[in-house]
């Protein structure tokens, strides 16, 4: 996606990243967060690229809470 594409996103956006992710790094996630107005960035400490697999219950609670706040 281009910077213009990212800037055009006008929906609530949750960005999650593992602190140890080497494929989509925390710096990449921070760039997305800065580029998408009103986005939320959550870093999962100690997790890698499959951070959603490391603690799926925690991720589900995080996502459900975010959806509830952004309905």
């Amino acid at each position: 996606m281009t910077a213009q594409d990212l800037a055009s996103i006008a929906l609530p956006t949750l960005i999650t990243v593992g602190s140890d992710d080497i494929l989509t790094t925390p710096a990449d996630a921070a760039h997305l967060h800065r580029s998408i107005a009103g986005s939320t960035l959550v870093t999962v400490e100690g997790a890698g690229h499959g951070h959603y697999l490391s603690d799926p219950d925690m991720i589900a609670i995080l996502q459900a809470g975010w959806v509830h706040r952004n309905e």
Side-chain angles (χ1 to χ4, degrees), residues 39-52:
S39 65
T40 302
L41 173 61
V42 176
T43 301
V44 180
E45 292 301 322
H49 189 67
H51 62 279
Y52 48 88

Side-chain angles (χ1 to χ4, degrees), residues 2 7 9 12-13 19 22 24 28 31 33 35-37 40-41 50 58 63 65:
T2 68
I9 297 173
T13 304
S19 64
I22 59 172
T24 305
D28 295 333
H31 169 72
H33 177 54
S35 300
I36 302 171
T40 302
L41 173 61
M58 184 273 300
Q63 291 172 336

